[in-house]
Amino acid sequence: MSLRKLQDLSGKIALVTGGSRGLGLQIAEALGEMGARLELAARKTDELEQARAHLDSRGVQAHGSACDITDAAAVSAMVDAVLARHGRIDILVNNAGGGVIKPFLEHTPETLHTTINRNLWTVLWACRVVLPVMLRQGYGRVVSIGADSVRNGLWDHAAYNAAKGGVHGLTTGLAREFAAQDITFNTVAPCAVRTEQVDELIRAYPQMFDKFVSVIPKGRPGEMSEVAAVVSFLASPAASFVTGQVISVNGGSTML
């Protein structure tokens, strides 16, 4: 089969959580350019409309669902709505997240719950709801966003790493369990990437960001397009024999 065919997502339905802005929107655009029909899930209706307009201007059509990804009932209802429109979900990208980054002893029960809910619970429940659909189809690609900080023990990331480490573990467990059904599970683990959230962090804690970049041999943060390229590969037929992997996109900050 030609490389062009292996990269073709025509007719595939891709659900991207946290898909209205930043990295999620960049991933959605990459999948759309490969032919996927897009479903974006995010909290804010106005941001979803802006994302749809942005994608439409690039010739990519998408439907947006306003949904609190931490709410189990809301996620189940959102997936039901996607199935009503398309009858299937071929690709799930678990991008929604965003933890509270601070020294561990400064955390409160509330900030710890927020970090776990946004980064681990969202992935657990989205997989739990979408996986039966993929099993009926006999096909699926699940790509989750992890964190390279799990591997390098980055400053002030202990709670965040606990959540993202859970995502890494979920990936390998589900990959083992469902490989025979042609459903793959992989995680893309970026280091510091220039997203809106990271830009906010730079403004609030410029010295912390300098620390982040200091461990990257490339000497710069990653670009969202560099992460989206790896996600779109893992979501494609070209990656049919790749499962249970945590792939770092990190400029060399951790090396095997």
Side-chain angles (χ1 to χ4, degrees), residues 77-94:
M78 178 267 294
V79 168
D80 286 344
V82 173
L83 292 175
R85 281 189 288 274
H86 304 290
R88 62 188 297 119
I89 298 173
D90 302 287
I91 299 162
L92 170 63
V93 179
N94 290 305

Side-chain angles (χ1 to χ4, degrees), residues 23 26-27 30 188 190-194 216 218 220-233 247-251:
L23 180 57
Q26 188 81 50
I27 290 168
V188 175
C191 65
V193 177
R194 288 302 296 263
I216 303 174
K218 276 278 194 177
R220 64 169 177 84
E223 298 295 335
M224 291 187 290
S225 60
E226 293 170 319
V227 180
V230 180
V231 173
S232 57
F233 163 71
I247 300 176
S248 290
V249 182
N250 63 14

Side-chain angles (χ1 to χ4, degrees), residues 15 17 67-80 89 92-94 96 116-133 142 144 166-167 170 174 185:
L15 171 59
T17 69
C67 175
D68 180 354
I69 309 299
T70 66
D71 183 326
V75 172
S76 297
M78 178 267 294
V79 168
D80 286 344
I89 298 173
L92 170 63
V93 179
N94 290 305
I116 296 297
N117 286 342
R118 288 181 182 174
N119 294 285
L120 179 55
W121 166 251
T122 53
V123 179
L124 276 167
W125 188 248
C127 287
R128 177 63 184 85
V129 175
V130 172
L131 187 51
V133 179
V142 179
S144 301
V167 173
L170 180 67
L174 292 178
F185 296 83

Side-chain angles (χ1 to χ4, degrees), residues 167-252:
V167 173
H168 296 190
L170 180 67
T171 291
T172 55
L174 292 178
R176 174 75 68 178
E177 192 169 348
F178 296 102
Q181 284 74 40
D182 198 19
I183 304 173
T184 65
F185 296 83
N186 292 288
T187 289
V188 175
C191 65
V193 177
R194 288 302 296 263
T195 64
E196 292 177 10
Q197 289 177 327
V198 169
D199 284 342
E200 292 171 2
L201 187 66
I202 293 171
R203 289 191 290 270
Y205 306 103
Q207 292 181 333
M208 181 187 294
F209 188 75
D210 290 343
K211 285 184 177 181
F212 296 171
V213 175
S214 71
V215 303
I216 303 174
K218 276 278 194 177
R220 64 169 177 84
E223 298 295 335
M224 291 187 290
S225 60
E226 293 170 319
V227 180
V230 180
V231 173
S232 57
F233 163 71
L234 293 171
S236 75
S240 59
F241 204 59
V242 181
T243 193
Q245 303 304 306
V246 178
I247 300 176
S248 290
V249 182
N250 63 14

Side-chain angles (χ1 to χ4, degrees), residues 79-116:
V79 168
D80 286 344
V82 173
L83 292 175
R85 281 189 288 274
H86 304 290
R88 62 188 297 119
I89 298 173
D90 302 287
I91 299 162
L92 170 63
V93 179
N94 290 305
N95 169 73
V100 180
I101 307 300
K102 60 171 59 182
F104 185 70
L105 293 180
E106 293 182 12
H107 273 284
T108 65
E110 291 74 22
T111 60
L112 289 172
H113 279 296
T114 295
T115 301
I116 296 297

Side-chain angles (χ1 to χ4, degrees), residues 28-47:
E29 185 173 339
L31 295 175
E33 288 175 349
M34 294 169 68
R37 299 173 69 181
L38 297 173
E39 290 280 342
L40 311 180
R43 290 173 181 266
K44 298 181 180 179
T45 301
D46 59 337
E47 290 185 355

